[in-house]
Structures are given as C-alpha cells and as structure tokens.
Amino acid sequence: KIMEKEGFDLLADEYVINDLSTALPFLQNTEQVHKVLVIGLGGGCDIISAYAIALFLRKASKSDRHTIVYSQTKRTVKKDLIRISKHIGTVPNVVVKLEPGKDRSTEDRTCPISDSLNRGDLNSPWVVDLPETKDVEGTGELIKEIADMNFTIIIGVDGGG
C-alpha cells in the first residue's frame, strides 16, 4: 500500500492507494521532489520485493532528484548494522555475493540477503529493528524516527507466508 505522509496521520483511508500505478504520478512530477521508503514487512525475502519495487520506481520516475530507499524489517538484529537511528540501520557497504548451496545463516550477519543487494539511495538497503509487539514506547520511538526522516511516500511490501 502506498501512503502520502502528512504528519503521521497517514492511516486515514484517503491516503491509502492500493495500486502502484497510482503512485507513479507522484514520481513523474518533475516539479516536486519526493523521498520514498519502500519497506519489506517481513524478516525473510520481502527485501527482494522492496528492492524490485524501488528499482521499478527509479526507472519509472521522470526525475533523478527523487530519493528512493528500500528496506526490510527484522526482530533480531546483530551488531553488523551501521546505525542511522535507534531502530534503523544499514548493512555494511560491501556487497557480499551469495553462493548456491552455502548456508550463511550461521554467520554473524543480520541480513545475508540484504548484504548481497546493490546499494541504493542513502546506502539502502536499510534494516528496521522492530520493537517487541508489547513495547509501546519503542514502537512510538520508531514511528517518530520514520516521521522525522520526512518521507513523502511510504510503500509497504509483504509477500505473505
């Protein structure tokens, strides 16, 4: 879903767009500059979908002035992330090639799949360190961190599962 941010009252129905093609006019407007966050809402391969959508939006936009960041969520984050804020980090700036048959899950890395993707705007992929479900304070902090980054469009991607 795509939401245009005004404050953080963005869950109102008038801001929800269910089709990517409806978001394209925002990015094809060359008079306005947008900052877009595409966030994979699962801890697994949703980063691949977020990356693909970010690449699609980059190619479809009529301006290279837009910032398009792609990211994923995780509940378990290791120390390899470079912190942008308390709950948001980016993977190290070294692209690691994934090798067929090699199990990287035992390595001391938060996101082996994200490590293998090309780096995007603002050194994405980012990783959003989700607070525990009952952590109301941490959730509020995360919402404020994202709001303070002044994204004009936020796209959530979930492949299900």
Side-chain angles (χ1 to χ4, degrees):
K1 292 185 177 180
I2 300 170
M3 300 172 207
E4 185 171 6
K5 181 175 100 37
E6 285 186 9
F8 226 78
D9 299 327
L10 56 87
L11 297 180
D13 287 340
E14 65 265 25
Y15 297 109
V16 177
I17 303 167
N18 291 315
D19 185 336
L20 269 180
S21 65
T22 313
L24 291 180
F26 287 110
L27 298 175
Q28 292 174 339
N29 177 349
T30 55
E31 296 172 19
Q32 204 173 10
V33 177
H34 288 284
K35 188 174 177 185
V36 181
L37 174 63
V38 182
I39 183 167
L41 299 172
C45 294
D46 288 319
I47 187 63
I48 300 295
S49 299
Y51 178 58
I53 289 172
L55 290 177
F56 168 77
L57 293 173
R58 171 62 61 213
K59 286 193 177 279
S61 76
K62 300 287 186 204
S63 172
D64 60 359
R65 298 177 355 187
H66 300 304
T67 300
I68 302 173
V69 174
Y70 64 97
S71 64
Q72 73 178 104
T73 57
K74 283 286 199 185
R75 288 226 185 256
T76 305
V77 175
K78 299 178 182 174
K79 295 179 182 177
D80 62 318
L81 292 184
I82 300 162
R83 288 287 170 182
I84 296 168
S85 66
K86 181 177 179 181
H87 295 94
I88 301 171
T90 184
V91 295
N93 200 17
V94 176
V95 176
V96 178
K97 182 179 177 184
L98 292 179
E99 297 175 29
K102 183 177 179 186
D103 180 8
R104 292 192 59 218
S105 63
T106 59
E107 294 179 19
D108 195 27
R109 304 294 293 213
T110 299
C111 309
I113 295 171
S114 293
D115 286 343
S116 71
L117 298 174
N118 291 329
R119 300 307 180 250
D121 293 349
L122 302 180
N123 202 37
S124 52
W126 288 3
V127 178
V128 177
D129 185 1
L130 293 177
E132 292 299 320
T133 306
K134 296 179 182 179
D135 183 358
V136 175
E137 183 179 330
T139 301
E141 291 171 351
L142 175 57
I143 290 170
K144 184 174 180 347
E145 290 169 30
I146 292 172
D148 288 348
M149 292 180 182
N150 297 312
F151 288 101
T152 53
I153 301 172
I154 299 174
I155 302 171
V157 178
D158 188 9

